[in-house]
Amino acid sequence: MKEYIKFFDDLPLLGKLLFCLPVLNLGWAIYRICKGVSNNDMLFIVVGILWIVLDVAMWAVDLVTTVLFGKPILS
């Protein structure tokens, strides 16, 4: 799980942007769940699950925040 988190943390900006596209955005949702489990943070776990359920709209949020801040919101 820590390798998965490190993989996403170490991605270059282009890689992060690619994972913000629809369907691939599930990678960021799983990242949030893994990060929540490893840090024992229930908020990240719930947000990750909601990101999976609401993937239709949330990929755009990740894309915009990655362009603006260099990483998706809540990551």
Side-chain angles (χ1 to χ4, degrees):
M1 189 170 350
K2 292 194 186 280
E3 296 86 21
Y4 189 81
I5 295 169
K6 183 171 174 25
F7 171 76
F8 272 84
D9 285 340
D10 293 342
L11 278 174
L13 183 60
L14 181 61
K16 289 179 181 181
L17 288 172
L18 288 174
F19 275 105
C20 290
L21 297 176
V23 180
L24 293 177
N25 193 39
L26 291 174
W28 283 116
I30 295 168
Y31 167 84
R32 289 177 177 98
I33 294 170
C34 291
K35 193 168 183 180
V37 169
S38 72
N39 294 338
N40 201 19
D41 187 351
M42 187 58 84
L43 176 66
F44 270 89
I45 296 170
V46 171
V47 168
I49 292 169
L50 286 175
W51 229 266
I52 290 172
V53 173
L54 302 173
D55 186 55
V56 175
M58 300 314 281
W59 69 269
V61 173
D62 276 348
L63 185 64
V64 169
T65 56
T66 301
V67 168
L68 293 176
F69 305 115
K71 66 178 188 171
I73 193 168
L74 292 175
S75 65

